[in-house]
Each structure stands twice: as structure tokens, then as C-alpha cells.
Amino acid sequence: MIIVTGAAGFIGSGLISRLNQDGFKNIIAVDDFSKIEKAENLEGKIIKEKVERNALFEWLDANSRDVEFIFHIGARTDTTEFDKEIFDELNVNYSKGIWEKCVAYQIPLVYASSAATYGLGEHGYDDNESTIGQLKPLNPYGDSKNEFDKWALAQEKKPFFWAGLKFFNVYGPNEYHKGRMASVIFHAYNQIKATEKMKLFRSHNPDFKDGEQMRDFIYVKDLIDVCIFFMHHRKNSGIYNLGSGRARTFKDLVTNTFLAMGKTPDISYVDTPADIRDKYQYFTQANMSKLRSIGYTRPFSTLEEGIDDYVKNYLSSTSYL
């Protein structure tokens, strides 16, 4: 059996789809299943059992000998939420509980960290474990992910294999439920469909022209490929970046969304809201050499390839992965 937490969410549901494709049918889906807006993400997936998030530890105590792997993808991911207690409960303490069960029952673990841990990038975007204690995230979400990374590295008792993956800007199918936390591509598609235009945040940094703020965007299918790689690899434990390794501008992203929709780009700019202006990242780019060094060789989709697939095969028909 393979456990996937956050199973009804964006990445977790896509991961289950891929596991099913690869012949894994004994999937234990863990989530807060009361949130019905995510239910369609699991339609058609082959799942052995659904376990409510708050019942997982008890379930593991009874069934651990049958569990082959845990993907801990679930988290509170709202970067505009400032109630630290919510993040402490769901992102830090819950993750510690999963780690401790993996140690006790010798279960290998992959968990989701985040590029939000890097803050403004003062220390770069290298997945060097010796500098994690120096990172200064910009919000409680990033803090919670970094706190768990630090805690994991400090533990004397670790699962026999574990990997924390720092997800960069992920986009792709199954994010329909995410609202304002969905990717810029998702919002661009819907805004262009409704108005034939797209508004982007203007730059308030003299080093960047409007629309040339840059992010490392990674297609969810590529991210899932890496998760599957680690499930089979099971060595070289540690914390790894997971981006495409190439920063691209928001202007590139929106232009490619227009083109995938068969429309002429029409982009304008609005002021970045004052409440986030001081904490706005103008550049992120994952250094991917660490993952490459342990034998991961698959290429990552270009932004053009990822957007074209996402728009034409999923967004245009509201299809799911």
C-alpha cells in the first residue's frame, strides 16, 4: 500500500493518477474529505481506502506492516493566511507525527517542502542543507515549511529513506478548486477567456521591467515524475529543490497562454497591492544540480510545452489528470 496525504488536492490527486497508471492500485488516500470542492480530483482514481486526515496515525498503528511508501503532500498552502497556529498544527506538528511513524515502522517518506522557504532569495536558491537555518521566509506558510525542514535535519532518528522536496511554482491540471492560490496560468486562462485581455502586476523594482518579474515554473507532471523517481530510488536522503531550473518571466507565461488559446496577446499592468509589495519575490530559480547528481536524467518541460499541454488538453475542457 502507498499512502498519499493531500490526496484530493492539486498535486496529490495527480500523483495518484500516475501511480494508477504505473500499476499501483492499493492507494490509501488521506485528506480532509469534507471539502467537497476537491471531490472531482479523485473521480475515476483507483483507491483502496480513504482515511480522514485526523485518523491517519491510528490507522498506521493498525496497518503499518502493509505500507510500502508515504508521500506526504498535504499541507495548508495559503500564503495569505497569517494564523501561525494553523500552520503549526497542519504543516509542522502533523508532519512530525508522520515522520515519527515512518521511523517507528521503517517506512520510506517523501514530503513536500516549498521554495517559499527561500524568502527574497538573499542566500540564493541552492538546496544546501547547511544554509537552511539562515533562510528567512516571507510568510507563516514559508516559515512552517522551513521549520519542519530544520527539525527533520536535526533528528537523530530518521526514516531509512526520506526526501523533502522544495516545490517551486507548480502549475497544471487539478487545481480548479484552489481559488486565488491557483497558478497564474490558471488565472490567465480564465481572465483571457472572459475579457480577451490579461492584467499583470507592474514592477516596483527598478531592476525589473513590468512583466519581467521571474519565477521558476514547473509543470505538475514533471514534479510527479520526480516523486516517482524517489519512490524507486530510495537512497541519497535529504532536501532537494524541485523546479524546472530555469526562471521565466510572467510576460512569457501570459504570452504563451494567449498563444495556446489561439489569441493575440493583450497585456496591461496594475500596481502590486501595497500589502504584499514589500514581500514580493522578483526572481526565483531552482538550482537543480543536486537532483541531477544522484541520477535524475529526465528533461523538464519548457514553459511553452507545459502551457500548451495544460491549456489544450485540460483547461479548455475542464479535464482532470
Side-chain angles (χ1 to χ4, degrees):
M1 294 192 289
I2 296 170
I3 292 174
V4 178
T5 74
F10 165 34
I11 296 169
S13 61
L15 177 58
I16 291 173
S17 178
R18 173 61 188 279
L19 287 165
N20 285 173
Q21 284 177 30
D22 288 358
F24 296 98
K25 309 293 172 64
N26 289 335
I27 307 296
I28 306 304
V30 179
D31 211 315
D32 174 0
F33 293 105
S34 67
K35 296 182 177 177
I36 56 170
E37 67 272 16
K38 298 190 288 187
E40 287 192 59
N41 284 342
L42 290 178
E43 284 288 318
K45 309 290 190 290
I46 301 168
I47 290 165
K48 182 179 177 67
E49 189 175 348
K50 289 182 179 178
V51 176
E52 285 292 332
R53 181 178 67 203
N54 57 12
L56 175 60
F57 299 148
E58 190 176 336
W59 185 95
L60 267 170
D61 289 338
N63 297 279
S64 63
R65 70 181 62 187
D66 296 320
V67 176
E68 182 182 342
F69 205 92
I70 295 180
F71 289 104
H72 177 35
I73 308 297
R76 181 63 174 266
T77 59
D78 189 341
T79 57
T80 62
E81 170 65 69
F82 280 85
D83 184 345
K84 184 176 180 294
E85 286 186 12
I86 290 174
F87 291 109
D88 284 347
E89 176 192 348
L90 297 180
N91 293 7
V92 182
N93 295 333
Y94 192 80
S95 300
K96 289 178 180 179
I98 288 177
W99 176 283
E100 287 164 354
K101 294 297 183 188
C102 287
V103 170
Y105 298 126
Q106 285 299 291
I107 302 168
L109 170 69
V110 162
Y111 73 86
S113 181
S114 171
T117 57
Y118 288 116
L120 289 172
E122 305 96 326
H123 299 283
Y125 296 93
D126 296 335
D127 42 9
N128 181 341
E129 293 168 11
S130 67
T131 61
I132 283 175
Q134 301 167 29
L135 300 181
K136 296 176 182 174
L138 299 174
N139 50 49
Y141 165 69
D143 277 332
S144 70
K145 290 294 189 179
N146 204 47
E147 283 304 307
F148 183 71
D149 286 345
K150 290 191 292 186
W151 181 88
L153 289 169
Q155 297 312 295
E156 284 185 24
K157 293 182 178 179
K158 295 178 167 68
F160 75 85
F161 168 73
W162 66 277
L165 306 181
K166 293 197 180 203
F167 297 167
F168 276 68
N169 285 64
V170 190
Y171 67 95
N174 299 20
E175 59 172 337
Y176 301 105
H177 65 282
K178 287 181 68 71
R180 66 179 291 189
M181 287 296 117
S183 71
V184 180
I185 296 155
F186 177 84
H187 289 297
Y189 175 85
N190 287 306
Q191 195 176 126
I192 294 164
K193 188 177 177 184
T195 68
E196 305 276 322
K197 301 177 181 180
M198 178 63 187
K199 293 179 180 179
L200 284 174
F201 289 151
R202 96 171 14 102
S203 173
H204 300 272
N205 181 328
D207 295 333
F208 293 84
K209 294 178 183 175
D210 290 345
E212 295 193 0
Q213 305 95 315
M214 301 180 84
R215 292 281 192 286
D216 188 330
F217 301 101
I218 179 167
Y219 196 30
V220 70
K221 291 182 179 180
D222 294 336
L223 181 149
I224 290 166
D225 283 342
V226 174
C227 290
I228 298 296
F229 165 80
F230 274 114
M231 184 178 76
H232 296 297
H233 187 69
R234 299 193 187 197
K235 52 183 184 285
N236 308 109
S237 292
I239 292 174
Y240 292 84
N241 279 339
L242 187 40
S244 70
R246 186 181 176 202
R248 296 291 299 271
T249 68
F250 282 104
K251 189 175 180 181
D252 284 343
L253 179 151
V254 171
T255 298
N256 278 290
T257 307
F258 273 105
L259 295 176
M261 296 172 73
K263 298 181 183 294
T264 302
D266 185 348
I267 303 168
S268 59
Y269 299 95
V270 297
D271 284 347
T272 304
D275 62 333
I276 64 168
R277 199 175 295 174
D278 292 343
K279 296 185 175 184
Y280 185 82
Q281 292 174 306
Y282 278 81
F283 178 88
T284 69
Q285 180 172 278
N287 179 346
M288 294 302 296
S289 59
K290 187 174 175 183
L291 180 65
R292 294 299 190 195
S293 75
I294 65 166
Y296 189 77
T297 58
R298 292 189 71 152
F300 291 99
S301 303
T302 64
L303 190 64
E304 288 80 2
E305 291 165 343
I307 290 176
D308 195 65
D309 184 53
Y310 185 23
V311 169
K312 291 178 178 175
N313 296 319
Y314 299 96
L315 288 173
S316 63
S317 55
T318 319
S319 298
Y320 290 79
L321 187 60

Coordinates of all heavy atoms in Angstrom, one line a residue, residues 77-120:
T77 N -1.6 25.5 2.4 CA -0.7 26.2 1.5 C -1.0 27.7 1.2 O -0.4 28.3 0.3 CB -0.6 25.5 0.1 OG1 -2.0 25.4 -0.4 CG2 -0.1 24.0 0.3
D78 N -1.9 28.2 1.9 CA -2.4 29.6 1.7 C -1.3 30.6 2.2 O -1.1 30.7 3.4 CB -3.7 29.8 2.4 CG -4.3 31.2 2.0 OD1 -3.6 32.0 1.5 OD2 -5.6 31.3 2.3
T79 N -0.7 31.3 1.3 CA 0.4 32.2 1.6 C -0.1 33.5 2.2 O 0.6 34.3 2.7 CB 1.3 32.5 0.4 OG1 0.5 33.1 -0.6 CG2 2.0 31.3 -0.1
T80 N -1.5 33.7 2.1 CA -2.1 34.9 2.7 C -2.7 34.7 4.1 O -3.2 35.6 4.7 CB -3.1 35.5 1.8 OG1 -4.2 34.5 1.6 CG2 -2.5 35.8 0.4
E81 N -2.6 33.4 4.6 CA -3.1 33.1 5.9 C -2.0 33.5 6.9 O -0.8 33.1 6.8 CB -3.4 31.6 6.0 CG -3.7 31.1 7.4 CD -4.9 31.6 8.0 OE1 -6.0 31.3 7.4 OE2 -4.8 32.4 8.9
F82 N -2.4 34.2 8.0 CA -1.3 34.6 8.9 C -1.6 34.1 10.4 O -1.0 34.5 11.3 CB -1.2 36.2 8.9 CG -0.4 36.7 7.8 CD1 -1.0 36.9 6.5 CD2 1.0 36.9 7.9 CE1 -0.2 37.3 5.5 CE2 1.8 37.3 6.9 CZ 1.2 37.5 5.6
D83 N -2.5 33.1 10.5 CA -2.7 32.5 11.8 C -1.6 31.3 11.9 O -1.7 30.3 11.4 CB -4.1 31.9 11.8 CG -4.4 31.3 13.2 OD1 -3.4 31.1 14.0 OD2 -5.6 31.0 13.5
K84 N -0.6 31.7 12.7 CA 0.5 30.7 12.8 C 0.1 29.4 13.4 O 0.7 28.3 13.1 CB 1.6 31.4 13.7 CG 2.9 30.5 13.9 CD 3.9 31.3 14.7 CE 5.2 30.5 14.8 NZ 5.0 29.3 15.7
E85 N -0.9 29.4 14.3 CA -1.3 28.2 14.9 C -1.8 27.1 13.9 O -1.6 25.9 14.1 CB -2.4 28.5 16.0 CG -1.9 29.1 17.2 CD -3.0 29.3 18.3 OE1 -4.0 28.7 18.2 OE2 -2.7 30.0 19.3
I86 N -2.5 27.6 12.9 CA -3.0 26.7 11.8 C -1.8 26.0 11.2 O -1.8 24.8 11.0 CB -3.8 27.5 10.8 CG1 -5.1 27.9 11.4 CG2 -4.1 26.6 9.5 CD1 -6.0 28.8 10.5
F87 N -0.8 26.8 10.9 CA 0.4 26.2 10.2 C 1.2 25.2 11.2 O 1.7 24.2 10.8 CB 1.3 27.3 9.7 CG 0.8 28.0 8.5 CD1 0.3 29.3 8.6 CD2 0.6 27.4 7.3 CE1 -0.2 30.0 7.6 CE2 0.1 28.1 6.2 CZ -0.3 29.4 6.3
D88 N 1.2 25.6 12.4 CA 1.9 24.8 13.4 C 1.2 23.4 13.5 O 1.9 22.4 13.5 CB 1.9 25.4 14.8 CG 2.9 26.5 14.9 OD1 3.8 26.6 14.1 OD2 2.8 27.3 15.9
E89 N -0.1 23.4 13.5 CA -0.9 22.2 13.6 C -0.8 21.3 12.3 O -0.4 20.2 12.4 CB -2.4 22.5 13.9 CG -3.2 21.3 13.9 CD -4.7 21.6 13.9 OE1 -5.1 22.8 14.0 OE2 -5.5 20.6 13.7
L90 N -1.0 21.9 11.2 CA -1.2 21.2 9.9 C 0.1 20.9 9.2 O 0.3 19.9 8.6 CB -2.2 21.9 9.0 CG -3.6 22.0 9.5 CD1 -4.5 22.7 8.5 CD2 -4.2 20.6 9.8
N91 N 1.0 21.9 9.3 CA 2.3 21.8 8.5 C 3.5 21.3 9.3 O 4.3 20.6 8.8 CB 2.6 23.1 7.8 CG 1.6 23.5 6.8 OD1 0.6 22.9 6.6 ND2 1.9 24.6 6.0
V92 N 3.5 21.7 10.6 CA 4.7 21.3 11.4 C 4.4 20.1 12.2 O 5.0 19.0 12.0 CB 5.2 22.5 12.3 CG1 6.4 22.1 13.0 CG2 5.4 23.7 11.4
N93 N 3.5 20.2 13.1 CA 3.2 19.1 14.1 C 2.7 17.8 13.4 O 3.1 16.7 13.7 CB 2.3 19.5 15.2 CG 2.9 20.6 16.0 OD1 4.1 20.7 16.1 ND2 2.1 21.5 16.6
Y94 N 1.8 18.0 12.4 CA 1.3 16.8 11.7 C 2.4 16.1 10.9 O 2.5 14.9 10.9 CB 0.2 17.3 10.7 CG -0.6 16.1 10.1 CD1 -1.6 15.5 10.8 CD2 -0.3 15.6 8.8 CE1 -2.4 14.4 10.3 CE2 -1.1 14.6 8.3 CZ -2.1 14.0 9.0 OH -2.8 13.0 8.5
S95 N 3.3 16.9 10.3 CA 4.5 16.3 9.6 C 5.4 15.6 10.5 O 6.0 14.6 10.2 CB 5.2 17.4 8.8 OG 4.3 18.1 7.9
K96 N 5.6 16.2 11.7 CA 6.4 15.5 12.7 C 5.8 14.1 13.1 O 6.6 13.1 13.2 CB 6.6 16.3 14.0 CG 7.5 17.6 13.8 CD 7.5 18.4 15.1 CE 8.4 19.6 15.0 NZ 8.4 20.4 16.2
G97 N 4.5 14.1 13.2 CA 3.8 12.8 13.5 C 4.1 11.8 12.5 O 4.3 10.6 12.7
I98 N 4.0 12.2 11.2 CA 4.2 11.3 10.1 C 5.6 10.8 10.1 O 5.9 9.6 9.9 CB 3.8 11.9 8.7 CG1 2.3 12.1 8.6 CG2 4.4 11.1 7.6 CD1 1.8 12.8 7.4
W99 N 6.6 11.7 10.3 CA 8.0 11.3 10.3 C 8.2 10.3 11.4 O 8.9 9.3 11.2 CB 8.8 12.6 10.6 CG 10.3 12.4 10.8 CD1 10.9 12.0 11.9 CD2 11.3 12.7 9.9 NE1 12.3 12.0 11.7 CE2 12.5 12.4 10.5 CE3 11.3 13.2 8.6 CZ2 13.8 12.6 9.9 CZ3 12.5 13.4 7.9 CH2 13.7 13.1 8.6
E100 N 7.7 10.5 12.6 CA 7.9 9.6 13.7 C 7.3 8.2 13.5 O 7.9 7.2 13.9 CB 7.3 10.2 15.0 CG 8.2 11.4 15.5 CD 7.6 12.3 16.5 OE1 6.4 12.2 16.8 OE2 8.3 13.2 17.0
K101 N 6.1 8.2 12.8 CA 5.6 6.9 12.4 C 6.5 6.2 11.4 O 6.7 5.0 11.4 CB 4.2 7.0 11.8 CG 3.1 7.5 12.8 CD 2.9 6.6 14.0 CE 1.8 7.1 14.9 NZ 1.7 6.3 16.1
C102 N 7.1 6.9 10.4 CA 8.0 6.4 9.4 C 9.2 5.8 10.1 O 9.7 4.8 9.7 CB 8.3 7.4 8.4 SG 7.0 7.8 7.2
V103 N 9.7 6.5 11.1 CA 10.8 6.0 11.9 C 10.5 4.7 12.6 O 11.1 3.7 12.5 CB 11.4 7.0 12.9 CG1 12.4 6.4 13.8 CG2 12.0 8.2 12.1
A104 N 9.3 4.7 13.3 CA 8.9 3.6 14.1 C 8.7 2.3 13.3 O 9.0 1.2 13.7 CB 7.7 4.0 14.9
Y105 N 8.1 2.5 12.1 CA 7.6 1.4 11.3 C 8.5 1.2 10.1 O 8.2 0.4 9.2 CB 6.2 1.6 10.9 CG 5.2 1.6 12.1 CD1 4.3 2.7 12.2 CD2 5.2 0.6 13.0 CE1 3.5 2.8 13.3 CE2 4.4 0.7 14.1 CZ 3.5 1.8 14.2 OH 2.6 1.8 15.3
Q106 N 9.6 1.9 10.0 CA 10.6 1.8 8.9 C 9.9 1.9 7.5 O 10.0 1.0 6.6 CB 11.4 0.4 9.0 CG 12.4 0.4 10.1 CD 13.5 1.5 9.8 OE1 14.3 1.4 8.9 NE2 13.5 2.6 10.6
I107 N 9.2 3.0 7.3 CA 8.5 3.3 6.1 C 9.3 4.5 5.4 O 9.5 5.5 6.0 CB 7.1 3.7 6.3 CG1 6.3 2.6 7.1 CG2 6.4 4.1 5.0 CD1 4.9 3.1 7.6
P108 N 9.6 4.3 4.1 CA 10.3 5.5 3.4 C 9.3 6.6 3.2 O 8.1 6.4 3.0 CB 10.8 4.8 2.1 CG 9.9 3.6 1.9 CD 9.5 3.1 3.3
L109 N 9.8 7.8 3.1 CA 9.0 9.0 3.1 C 9.5 10.1 2.1 O 10.7 10.4 2.1 CB 9.0 9.6 4.5 CG 8.4 11.0 4.7 CD1 6.9 11.0 4.5 CD2 8.7 11.6 6.1
V110 N 8.6 10.6 1.3 CA 8.8 11.8 0.5 C 7.8 12.8 1.0 O 6.6 12.5 1.1 CB 8.7 11.6 -1.0 CG1 8.5 12.9 -1.7 CG2 9.9 10.9 -1.6
Y111 N 8.3 14.0 1.4 CA 7.3 15.1 1.8 C 7.6 16.4 1.0 O 8.6 16.6 0.5 CB 7.5 15.3 3.3 CG 8.7 16.1 3.8 CD1 8.8 17.5 3.8 CD2 9.9 15.4 4.2 CE1 9.9 18.2 4.2 CE2 11.0 16.1 4.7 CZ 11.0 17.5 4.6 OH 12.1 18.2 5.0
A112 N 6.5 17.2 1.0 CA 6.5 18.4 0.3 C 7.1 19.5 1.2 O 6.4 19.9 2.2 CB 5.1 18.8 -0.2
S113 N 8.2 20.1 0.7 CA 8.6 21.4 1.3 C 8.3 22.4 0.3 O 7.4 22.2 -0.6 CB 10.1 21.4 1.6 OG 10.5 22.6 2.2
S114 N 8.9 23.6 0.3 CA 8.5 24.7 -0.6 C 9.6 25.6 -0.9 O 10.4 25.9 0.0 CB 7.3 25.4 0.0 OG 7.0 26.6 -0.8
A115 N 9.6 26.2 -2.1 CA 10.5 27.3 -2.4 C 10.2 28.6 -1.6 O 11.0 29.5 -1.5 CB 10.5 27.6 -3.9
A116 N 9.0 28.6 -1.0 CA 8.7 29.7 -0.1 C 9.7 29.9 1.1 O 9.8 30.9 1.7 CB 7.3 29.6 0.4
T117 N 10.4 28.8 1.4 CA 11.4 28.8 2.4 C 12.5 29.8 2.1 O 13.2 30.3 3.0 CB 12.0 27.4 2.7 OG1 12.6 26.9 1.4 CG2 11.0 26.4 3.1
Y118 N 12.7 30.1 0.8 CA 13.9 30.9 0.4 C 13.7 32.4 0.6 O 14.6 33.2 0.5 CB 14.2 30.6 -1.0 CG 14.9 29.3 -1.3 CD1 14.3 28.3 -2.1 CD2 16.1 29.0 -0.7 CE1 14.9 27.1 -2.3 CE2 16.7 27.8 -0.9 CZ 16.1 26.8 -1.7 OH 16.7 25.6 -2.0
G119 N 12.4 32.8 0.9 CA 12.2 34.2 1.2 C 12.5 35.0 -0.1 O 12.1 34.7 -1.2
L120 N 13.2 36.1 0.1 CA 13.6 37.0 -1.0 C 14.8 36.5 -1.8 O 15.3 37.2 -2.7 CB 13.9 38.4 -0.5 CG 12.6 39.2 0.0 CD1 13.0 40.5 0.6 CD2 11.7 39.5 -1.2

